[in-house]
């Protein structure tokens, strides 16, 4: 008070006072932190160390070093305390962690430490932990750290998969925009409703009964009956809020293809090069997965190498046979490639008078780009496509709707809907111009898939995809046997290293692009003719 009036501090005075308070707090923080470091260095694991670390972590729960020190203290307590006392100590630790989570609900250090404490408690109360997760997720449904912790709690406590699926039902029912719940649902469905394996062939011996697959080994395929129910659920979601991306992403997962099974998809052998090429369903390291070549019943000592020195993992590996091994055209040879790690093998016969031979599964055989649909699923997807078309009439600028229409068309008939698909991609580039490059690349991918299917239907080894506005190349491992490729009049800027997988290529046409380098033309043993007019190659070394 001054002359009966309240004296108001100036802004400068207030700022100075705040600065002094911050400085005071910082000095205390640094002093306590240094005391913790000193005690740890001296190997002291007493109650005072617990109190000091608690003082720092209460204000800064993301101090990983102090959480580690705290673990050391607690592990020491386990060795000197009775079991009941340890239970009490860890119970107090969980209470302290709850206060840390109130300070920062998304503190990685706090959630991780809580998982560590719960796993070491003599008598963990998993029901209490599950309730904590429910409470935290009700406050913030996208707390990814809490979701991770919940998965650990569910695993340790033996909560059934159907209970967790019901949990996602409740969260999604209260908020369709709960992206985390949709994602969690996608991990649960294959466990609760797995696709039934195909019945064994009558000529084969019945397989031995094996335990149900674990989440780590499951094929992630969902049975059709449940898929059809999910389509209805997710349709309700995106019709409720067409601009929310959560349900659209989940729908995209439903329409996607399951992970490919491990297999040797192709074996190719050439007399002229005395070379064997082996294609796999996924990139592997042939030098570590146990790849064995047997020729006419005799194991061969060969060195496997990828088609480009940059690739340590590749879907295609080649090896050279000793000179004279298979060069005589008057002899027949039988090859077997064993993938010993997976107990898989593939045979290939090189007949008399033939300069090359191959044994392969086509993209159609592997259902690589689309799966065969039952009558019921076809009917449901047709209905879904009709619904999405109706929604697009109401929401013409909704990019998620346009993209889903494309995916539905590809699931139903990728070749039959090709023209409509291209029109929808053009719409996407216009309504979402910031992602036009992504849509161009995705369109290129789908056009390449269609061209592979057309090539296989025609049973030829010529791949022609000129004047299609291609911006990228993909699925090149599927073109191992192609002898002639036409990429002219597109928007390609490079021939990527993966282009070296075209081991049978003789003619390359790539006029009228924007190609700047030819890194992919690396060790193509049969290449004879290259057409590259009107490109952007500036340096001789790129030729």
């Amino acid at each position: 008070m001054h002359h009966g009036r309240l004296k108001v501090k100036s802004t400068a005075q207030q700022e100075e006072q705040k600065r002094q308070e911050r400085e005071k707090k910082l000095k205390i923080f640094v002093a306590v932190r240094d005391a913790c470091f000193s005690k740890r260095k001296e190997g002291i694991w007493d109650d005072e160390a617990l109190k000091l670390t608690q003082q720092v972590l209460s204000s800064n729960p993301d101090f990983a070093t102090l959480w580690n020190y705290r673990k050391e203290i607690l592990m020491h307590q386990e060795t000197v305390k009775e079991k009941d006392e340890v239970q009490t100590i860890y119970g107090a630790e969980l209470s302290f962690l709850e206060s840390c989570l109130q300070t920062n609900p998304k503190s990685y250090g706090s959630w991780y430490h809580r998982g560590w404490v719960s796993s070491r408690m003599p008598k963990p109360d998993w029901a209490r932990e599950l309730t904590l997760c429910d409470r935290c997720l009700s406050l913030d449904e996208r707390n990814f750290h809490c979701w991770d912790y919940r998965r650990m709690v569910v695993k340790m406590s033996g909560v059934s998969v159907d209970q967790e699926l019901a949990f996602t039902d409740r969260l999604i029912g209260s908020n369709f925009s709960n992206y985390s719940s949709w994602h969690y649902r996608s991990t649960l469905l294959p466990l609760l409703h797995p696709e039934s394996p195909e019945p064994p062939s009558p000529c084969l011996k019945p397989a031995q009964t094996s335990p149900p697959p674990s989440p780590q080994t499951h094929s992630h395929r969902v049975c059709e009956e449940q898929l059809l129910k999910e389509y209805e659920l997710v349709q309700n979601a995106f019709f409720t809020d067409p601009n929310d991306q959560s349900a659209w992403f989940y729908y995209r997962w439903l329409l996607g293809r399951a992970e490919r099974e491990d297999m040797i998809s192709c074996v190719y052998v050439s007399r002229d090069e005395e070379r064997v090429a082996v294609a796999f369903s996924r990139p592997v390291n042939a030098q570590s997965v146990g790849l064995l070549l047997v020729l006419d019943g005799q194991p061969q000592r060969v060195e496997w190498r990828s088609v480009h020195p940059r690739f340590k993992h590749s879907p295609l590996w080649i090896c050279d046979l000793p000179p004279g091994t298979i060069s005589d055209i008057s002899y027949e040879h039988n090859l077997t490639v064993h993938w010993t790690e997976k107990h898989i093998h593939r045979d290939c016969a090189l007949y008399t008078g033939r300069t090359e031979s191959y044994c392969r599964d086509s993209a159609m055989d592997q259902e690589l780009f689309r799966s065969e649909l039952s009558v019921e699923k076809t009917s449901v997807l047709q209905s879904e496509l009709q619904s999405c078309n109706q929604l697009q009439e109401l929401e013409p600028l909704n990019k998620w709707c346009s993209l889903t229409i494309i995916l539905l068309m590809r699931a139903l008939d990728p070749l039959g809907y090709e023209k409509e698909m291209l029109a929808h991609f053009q719409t996407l580039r216009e309504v979402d111009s910031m992602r036009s490059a992504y849509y161009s690349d995705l369109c290129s991918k789908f056009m390449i898939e269609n061209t592979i299917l057309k090539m296989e239907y025609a049973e030829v080894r010529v791949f022609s995809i000129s004047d299609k506005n291609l911006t990228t190349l993909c699925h090149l491992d599927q073109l191992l046997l192609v002898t002639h490729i036409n990429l002219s009049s597109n928007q390609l800027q490079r021939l990527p290293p993966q282009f070296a997988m075209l081991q049978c290529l003789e003619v390359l046409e790539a006029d009228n692009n924007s190609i700047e380098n030819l890194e992919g033309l690396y060790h193509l043993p049969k290449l004879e003719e290259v057409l590259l007019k009107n490109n952007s190659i500036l340096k001789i070394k790129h030729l």
Side-chain angles (χ1 to χ4, degrees):
M1 298 289 290
H2 184 66
H3 298 294
R5 294 185 180 182
L6 181 65
K7 185 177 180 181
V8 180
K9 295 180 181 179
S10 66
T11 302
Q13 287 177 309
Q14 290 175 329
E15 289 299 321
E16 176 61 21
Q17 184 175 343
K18 289 180 181 178
R19 187 193 66 78
Q20 291 176 0
E21 290 174 356
R22 286 196 301 269
E23 197 170 280
K24 182 179 179 181
K25 288 180 181 179
L26 180 60
K27 286 181 179 178
I28 295 173
F29 181 88
V30 171
V32 177
R33 181 203 65 187
D34 291 345
C36 292
F37 286 170
S38 297
K39 278 182 167 291
R40 190 185 193 194
K41 189 175 182 180
E42 295 170 13
I44 299 173
W45 302 299
D46 57 9
D47 290 339
E48 185 186 2
L50 271 180
K51 292 177 182 177
L52 289 172
T53 54
Q54 180 171 331
Q55 189 175 343
V56 175
L57 291 168
S58 294
S59 58
N60 180 13
D62 287 313
F63 205 142
T65 302
L66 293 191
W67 284 121
N68 289 334
Y69 181 30
R70 204 166 174 84
K71 289 185 181 73
E72 294 168 5
I73 299 168
L74 293 170
M75 286 190 290
H76 173 71
Q77 299 277 14
E78 289 180 14
T79 64
V80 298
K81 302 283 187 180
E82 295 294 329
K83 190 174 182 179
D84 290 344
E85 291 179 293
V86 171
Q87 177 75 14
T88 302
I89 290 170
Y90 277 132
E93 189 73 359
L94 291 179
S95 298
F96 164 57
L97 282 162
E98 284 193 40
S99 67
C100 290
L101 290 172
Q102 289 174 357
T103 302
N104 181 3
K106 294 186 176 181
S107 166
Y108 172 78
S110 299
W111 283 111
Y112 185 84
H113 190 67
R114 191 173 189 90
W116 182 85
V117 170
S118 295
S119 65
R120 296 186 74 88
M121 283 187 80
K123 298 177 182 178
D125 186 351
W126 295 117
R128 177 176 180 269
E129 297 305 297
L130 208 57
T131 301
L132 172 69
C133 292
D134 289 347
R135 191 166 73 247
C136 290
L137 291 175
S138 68
L139 297 173
D140 181 0
E141 60 203 14
R142 297 197 179 196
N143 188 333
F144 301 139
H145 301 301
C146 183
W147 278 106
D148 285 340
Y149 182 66
R150 183 186 181 90
R151 279 187 278 271
M152 188 274 284
V153 171
V154 166
K155 181 179 179 181
M156 298 297 291
S157 60
V159 175
S160 64
V161 177
D162 54 350
Q163 282 181 268
E164 284 299 278
L165 194 65
F167 173 68
T168 67
D169 285 337
R170 293 196 302 273
L171 292 186
I172 291 170
S174 62
N175 181 9
F176 278 139
S177 185
N178 193 327
Y179 180 86
S180 299
S181 294
W182 288 111
H183 176 264
Y184 191 31
R185 191 175 184 85
S186 72
T187 66
L188 298 171
L189 279 176
L191 302 176
L192 191 60
H193 301 285
E195 182 183 60
S196 300
E198 294 183 6
S201 172
C203 62
L204 298 177
K205 295 181 180 179
Q208 293 182 345
T209 303
S210 58
S214 68
Q216 290 74 28
T217 61
H218 203 275
S219 67
H220 302 289
R221 296 176 184 266
V222 179
C223 71
E224 183 172 296
E225 181 182 359
Q226 185 62 32
L227 273 179
L228 301 183
K229 293 179 182 177
E230 293 299 304
Y231 289 144
E232 182 178 355
L233 170 67
V234 76
Q235 187 184 99
N236 291 335
F238 61 64
F239 265 85
T240 301
D241 185 0
N243 292 310
D244 181 76
Q245 63 183 2
S246 303
W248 290 111
F249 270 117
Y250 183 68
Y251 195 64
R252 190 170 181 177
W253 173 77
L254 291 175
L255 290 174
R257 292 175 293 276
E259 295 177 3
R260 296 173 64 188
E261 296 180 3
D262 287 333
M263 62 183 297
I264 298 173
S265 56
C266 181
V267 173
Y268 170 81
V269 56
S270 168
R271 281 192 199 272
D272 295 338
E273 284 79 33
E274 296 195 271
R275 177 174 294 176
V276 177
V278 181
F280 297 86
S281 56
R282 62 175 173 85
V284 300
N285 185 337
Q287 296 164 348
S288 64
V289 299
L291 198 58
L292 174 65
L293 175 64
V294 177
L295 176 65
D296 298 328
Q298 298 297 318
Q300 302 295 304
R301 294 177 62 88
V302 296
E303 289 189 9
W304 294 99
R305 65 182 187 278
S306 62
V307 293
H308 194 284
R310 180 183 297 184
F311 301 144
K312 302 302 180 185
H313 287 76
S314 171
L316 185 67
W317 289 81
I318 56 179
C319 72
D320 294 319
L321 295 170
T325 305
I326 59 173
S327 58
D328 192 336
I329 203 167
S330 61
Y331 285 92
E332 177 179 319
H333 298 283
N334 293 293
L335 295 91
T336 303
V337 177
H338 294 268
W339 187 357
T340 56
E341 182 186 62
K342 299 294 181 180
H343 305 288
I344 296 170
H345 72 275
R346 184 118 205 183
D347 300 321
C348 183
L350 180 59
Y351 296 111
T352 303
R354 297 280 298 274
T355 59
E356 65 177 7
S357 183
Y358 53 85
C359 179
R360 70 184 292 260
D361 289 320
S362 67
M364 292 181 291
D365 295 333
Q366 301 175 63
E367 295 189 347
L368 191 57
F369 305 138
R370 70 181 295 260
S371 301
E372 290 300 318
L373 304 178
S374 67
V375 174
E376 184 180 7
K377 188 172 182 180
T378 299
S379 175
V380 170
L381 292 184
Q382 287 284 8
S383 176
E384 295 283 302
L385 179 58
Q386 185 178 1
S387 297
C388 285
N389 282 327
Q390 292 172 355
L391 180 60
Q392 192 185 43
E393 291 177 7
L394 300 173
E395 301 275 346
L397 301 182
N398 189 303
K399 63 180 180 180
W400 302 109
C401 188
S402 295
L403 186 55
T404 301
I405 288 173
I406 291 172
L407 297 175
L408 281 165
M409 288 177 172
R410 294 201 61 72
L412 286 163
D413 186 356
L415 298 181
Y417 283 113
E418 182 174 294
K419 185 176 180 181
E420 291 91 335
M421 179 194 76
L422 292 173
H424 281 291
F425 268 118
Q426 183 58 36
T427 300
L428 282 170
R429 294 187 192 96
E430 293 170 0
V431 302
D432 191 15
S433 57
M434 289 184 64
R435 295 172 182 81
S436 61
Y438 165 73
Y439 296 127
S440 294
D441 286 352
L442 186 60
C443 184
S444 298
K445 174 179 179 290
F446 289 160
M447 290 303 297
I448 288 172
E449 291 176 0
N450 281 6
T451 306
I452 290 174
L453 292 175
K454 293 173 185 176
M455 179 181 68
E456 292 184 350
Y457 287 138
E459 296 184 346
V460 296
R461 295 170 68 178
V462 176
F463 185 82
S464 182
I465 190 168
S466 60
D467 200 19
K468 298 295 184 183
N469 295 315
L470 292 190
T471 55
T472 188
L473 294 174
C474 59
H475 297 306
L476 294 174
D477 57 305
Q478 296 297 311
L479 305 182
L480 165 63
L481 303 177
V482 166
T483 59
H484 187 142
I485 188 168
N486 185 356
L487 303 171
S488 300
S489 302
N490 283 297
Q491 300 174 28
L492 298 172
Q493 296 183 358
R494 60 196 290 258
L495 297 180
Q498 291 84 349
F499 204 81
M501 295 181 189
L502 279 70
Q503 288 288 296
C504 296
L505 189 64
E506 298 172 3
V507 178
L508 165 63
E509 296 183 58
D511 293 337
N512 304 314
N513 278 279
S514 301
I515 297 172
E516 297 176 356
N517 71 71
L518 304 172
E519 186 181 7
L521 298 189
Y522 182 91
H523 286 187
L524 294 178
K526 296 179 179 291
L527 188 61
E528 298 175 355
E529 184 177 356
V530 179
L531 304 178
L532 288 167
K533 291 185 295 184
N534 297 326
N535 277 285
S536 303
I537 301 171
L538 300 177
K539 298 181 180 179
I540 297 297
K541 69 177 183 178
H542 291 152
L543 290 174

